[in-house]
């Protein structure tokens, strides 16, 4: 047991001595050459590398006898030497101020012993050399480039040996070039349109009146709320053909009435709510301001429901794509986006938009927009006449030739989309 404890103390003492040497190298900008050579026996390559990295952190050259600062830090990982036609890894070179210090440090590091520190008392310690100016300086660690030559005839031994000798003399790397596949976006757009198209889209396409169709979504809801006298609590009797609402009153200020006032203030976007007196003459809020109660109540603004907000957001995303695509197609079709913006918004509002069908790549947007133009042409004859007359017809044919499509094929595709909903022409359904 005593032997084990003595060995353990010896190990700890060797590690403490090595740490003291590292600490001395880090704290001093430069050490003496003789001191470094004398204390090299207390270090191993790992402790010396730690000292280099600690000095580099404070922008001090990693070579202990150099007091220069690292002014320029290399950003790249590799360096190509055009003269020697070699590639060097400069990861460790970044810790030094120059190639000379890097080479001198490597020369000293390669001399350090790799044996355990606590066992060096029994071995012969060599004499360490510190050369501050080596004859040859390196700019990094050389990267070995391997080359593989594939013989044309694998069965021939002579050809294999010749290829092997040629590889050693003039190494060449054969790279397999894989051509990039250009995917036609038509198939993807067709699948998305099948998911989008609904019965509401069919009704809009054939001008079928649909009471459940909300058009612009939120705007139509707000119009209906105005008609129901929800968004205009201060409207007069002659403005709306409905009996005026009687304000809620109670004999005592119950908790329900206060809660109702809080909800109304929240919908109005106010942080404070008003408190009505018993006589109903005035309303006084908690800040002391007095507000007249003569039909000047704050309008209630109903926030969007979560489902409506998601649908509206998806519609806006698709409309951004459509606007960009129409700008590209203006030179082809001559159709302006502003003129047909309202119809496009109504059409997109009828689609079943999902989170995974509302993003497109740049080469897919023009084809998507042209399909929407085909929808407009089926509803509006002026659009159809526009794209079928010369010289627009020629430009459209050139545009669709890139996608290997024609106007007639797209019209047939739209007809196929409408076939499942043809019964709506004779028997409307409630959505």
């Amino acid at each position: 047991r005593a032997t084990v404890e003595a060995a353990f103390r010896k190990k700890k003492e060797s590690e403490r001595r090595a740490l003291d040497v590292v600490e001395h190298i880090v704290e001093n900008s430069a050490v003496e050459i003789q001191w470094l050579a004398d204390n090299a026996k207390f270090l191993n390559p790992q402790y010396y590398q730690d000292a280099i990295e600690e000095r580099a952190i404070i922008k001090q050259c990693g070579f202990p006898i150099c007091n220069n600062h690292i002014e320029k830090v290399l950003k790249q990982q590799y360096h190509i030497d055009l003269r020697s036609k070699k590639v060097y890894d400069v990861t460790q070179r970044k810790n030094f101020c120059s190639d000379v210090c890097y080479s001198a440090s490597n020369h000293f590091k390669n001399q350090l012993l790799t044996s355990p520190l606590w066992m060096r008392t029994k071995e012969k310690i060599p004499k360490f050399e510190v050369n501050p100016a080596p004859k040859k300086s390196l700019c990094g660690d050389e990267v070995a480039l391997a080359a593989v030559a594939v013989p044309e005839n694998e069965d021939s031994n002579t050809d294999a040996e010749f290829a092997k000798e040629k590889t050693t003399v003039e190494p060449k790397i054969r790279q397999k070039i894989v051509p990039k596949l250009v995917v036609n976006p038509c198939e993807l757009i067709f699948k998305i349109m099948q998911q989008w198209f609904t019965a509401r889209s069919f009704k809009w396409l054939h001008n079928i009146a649909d009471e459940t169709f909300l058009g612009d979504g939120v705007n139509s809801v707000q119009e209906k709320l105005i008609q129901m006298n929800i968004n205009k609590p201060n409207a007069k009797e002659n403005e709306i053909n409905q009996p005026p609402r009687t304000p809620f009153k109670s004999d005592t200020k119950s908790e329900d009435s206060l809660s109702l006032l809080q909800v109304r203030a929240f919908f109005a976007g106010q942080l404070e709510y008003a408190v009505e007196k018993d006589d109903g003459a005035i309303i006084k809020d908690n800040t002391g301001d007095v507000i007249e109660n003569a039909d000047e109540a704050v309008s209630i603004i109903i926030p969007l429901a979560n489902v409506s907000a998601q649908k509206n957001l998806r519609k806006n995303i698709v409309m951004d794509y459509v606007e960009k695509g129409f700008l590209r197609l203006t030179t082809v079709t001559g159709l302006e986006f502003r003129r047909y913006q309202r119809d496009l918004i109504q059409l997109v509002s009828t689609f079943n938009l999902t989170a995974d069908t509302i993003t497109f790549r740049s080469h897919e947007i023009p084809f998507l927009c042209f399909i929407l133009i085909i929808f407009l042409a089926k509803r509006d004859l002026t659009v159809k006449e526009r794209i079928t007359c010369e010289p627009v017809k020629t430009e459209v044919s050139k545009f669709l030739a890139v996608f290997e499509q024609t106007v007639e094929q797209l019209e047939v595709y739209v007809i196929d989309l409408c076939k499942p909903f043809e019964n709506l022409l004779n028997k409307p359904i409630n959505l």
Side-chain angles (χ1 to χ4, degrees):
R1 181 177 180 180
T3 305
V4 174
E5 292 180 354
F8 183 76
R9 286 195 297 268
K10 190 175 181 180
K11 179 180 178 181
K12 289 296 183 181
E13 181 65 20
S14 301
E15 292 178 352
R16 184 192 61 79
R17 190 182 304 159
L19 291 176
D20 291 341
V21 175
V22 172
E23 184 178 357
H24 182 77
I25 293 175
V26 174
E27 292 181 351
N28 294 273
S29 59
V31 298
E32 297 294 335
I33 297 178
Q34 189 61 37
W35 182 89
L36 183 62
D38 295 339
N39 290 274
K41 59 183 178 180
F42 303 124
L43 298 175
N44 58 15
Q46 185 59 43
Y47 277 104
Y48 181 71
Q49 182 63 30
D50 293 341
I52 293 175
E53 294 178 357
E54 290 294 334
R55 288 173 62 90
I57 291 175
I58 59 177
K59 302 300 181 182
Q60 188 72 31
C61 180
F63 194 33
I65 67 173
C66 179
N67 59 356
N68 295 331
H69 291 276
I70 303 176
E71 298 179 356
K72 183 179 180 181
V73 180
L74 301 177
K75 296 182 180 180
Q76 69 273 16
Q77 184 179 357
Y78 299 99
H79 171 72
I80 301 175
D81 190 352
L82 299 179
R83 292 184 179 180
S84 61
K85 297 181 180 179
K86 295 181 179 179
V87 179
Y88 295 94
D89 188 351
V90 296
T91 303
Q92 298 298 329
R93 165 64 180 82
K94 298 177 182 179
N95 298 328
F96 301 89
C97 65
S98 63
D99 296 343
V100 177
C101 289
Y102 172 69
S103 302
S105 177
N106 281 349
H107 175 70
F108 175 75
K109 181 180 178 181
N110 293 333
Q111 301 176 54
L112 297 177
L113 301 177
T114 58
S115 58
L117 299 176
W118 59 91
M119 297 178 63
R120 294 185 180 180
T121 56
K122 298 181 181 181
E123 64 178 310
K124 186 178 179 180
I125 304 298
K127 184 179 180 180
F128 298 96
E129 179 187 3
V130 180
N131 186 6
K135 296 181 180 180
K136 185 178 180 181
S137 60
L138 299 176
C139 58
D141 298 328
E142 184 178 351
V143 179
L145 298 178
V148 178
V150 181
E152 296 179 358
N153 187 4
E154 295 181 356
D155 297 333
S156 177
N157 295 330
T158 58
D159 293 343
E161 292 177 359
F162 175 76
K164 193 173 183 180
E165 293 176 0
K166 188 176 180 180
T167 304
T168 57
V169 178
E170 296 179 358
K172 294 182 179 180
I173 300 176
R174 294 187 178 182
Q175 296 180 353
K176 186 178 180 181
I177 301 176
V178 180
K180 295 183 179 180
L181 299 177
V182 180
V183 181
N184 194 326
C186 300
E187 184 178 355
L188 175 63
I189 299 300
F190 287 156
K191 290 182 179 180
I192 291 178
M193 292 304 302
Q194 290 178 357
Q195 298 180 24
W196 281 3
F197 201 78
T198 61
R200 292 172 55 198
S201 305
F202 179 85
K203 288 186 176 182
W204 182 89
L205 209 60
H206 292 81
N207 289 317
I208 300 177
D210 187 3
E211 295 181 355
T212 61
F213 177 62
L214 297 180
D216 292 342
V218 179
N219 296 332
S220 300
V221 172
Q222 290 180 349
E223 292 177 2
K224 289 187 177 182
L225 292 179
I226 292 175
Q227 295 176 1
M228 295 170 61
N229 199 17
I230 294 180
N231 272 353
K232 301 179 75 175
N234 56 348
K236 297 181 180 180
E237 295 183 7
N238 54 2
E239 294 179 355
I240 301 176
N241 296 326
Q242 291 184 359
R245 295 183 301 168
T246 57
F248 175 78
K249 294 184 180 180
S250 60
D251 297 336
T252 60
K253 294 295 182 180
S254 62
E255 294 182 357
D256 294 339
S257 61
L258 294 177
S259 300
L260 180 61
L261 294 176
Q262 292 177 357
V263 171
R264 289 180 177 177
F266 172 75
F267 283 155
Q270 296 181 354
L271 299 178
E272 300 174 348
Y273 64 95
V275 179
E276 185 177 1
K277 288 187 175 181
D278 297 336
D279 54 1
I282 59 174
I283 296 176
K284 183 178 181 181
D285 61 8
N286 54 1
T287 60
D289 298 332
V290 179
I291 306 174
E292 295 296 334
N293 195 19
D295 292 339
E296 293 183 2
V298 181
S299 301
I300 300 176
I301 302 175
I302 299 179
L304 292 174
N306 292 335
V307 177
S308 301
Q310 291 180 0
K311 292 181 179 179
N312 194 37
L313 178 60
R314 293 170 183 172
K315 182 190 70 175
N316 293 337
I317 293 175
V318 174
M319 286 306 302
D320 290 339
Y321 285 119
V322 173
E323 183 176 0
K324 294 178 182 178
F326 253 79
L327 294 178
R328 300 181 187 178
L329 294 178
T330 301
T331 57
V332 179
T333 62
L335 301 176
E336 296 182 358
F337 174 75
R338 293 183 179 180
R339 181 176 180 182
Y340 300 96
Q341 182 178 5
R342 183 178 181 84
D343 292 337
L344 289 170
I345 292 176
Q346 292 180 356
L347 175 60
V348 174
S349 299
T350 63
F351 290 155
N352 180 27
L353 304 177
T354 57
D356 55 344
T357 60
I358 59 174
T359 55
F360 304 93
R361 297 179 179 178
S362 58
H363 66 281
E364 300 170 349
I365 299 175
F367 187 72
L368 170 66
C369 293
F370 196 85
I371 293 182
L372 297 182
I373 291 178
I374 297 298
F375 281 119
L376 294 178
K378 190 171 181 62
R379 178 185 172 96
D380 190 352
L381 295 179
T382 58
V383 177
K384 185 175 182 180
E385 294 176 357
R386 176 70 180 178
I387 62 177
T388 55
C389 65
E390 296 293 346
V392 177
K393 183 178 180 181
T394 304
E395 296 295 330
V396 169
S397 300
K398 293 180 181 178
F399 169 76
L400 293 179
V402 178
F403 304 97
E404 300 178 356
Q405 297 289 329
T406 62
V407 177
E408 291 75 13
Q409 291 177 344
L410 296 182
E411 289 178 349
V412 172
Y413 172 74
V414 173
I415 293 175
D416 293 339
L417 284 179
C418 296
K419 283 183 180 180
F421 307 99
E422 288 181 351
N423 58 338
L424 297 179
L425 294 174
N426 300 325
K427 185 180 179 181
I429 61 175
N430 295 326
L431 302 179

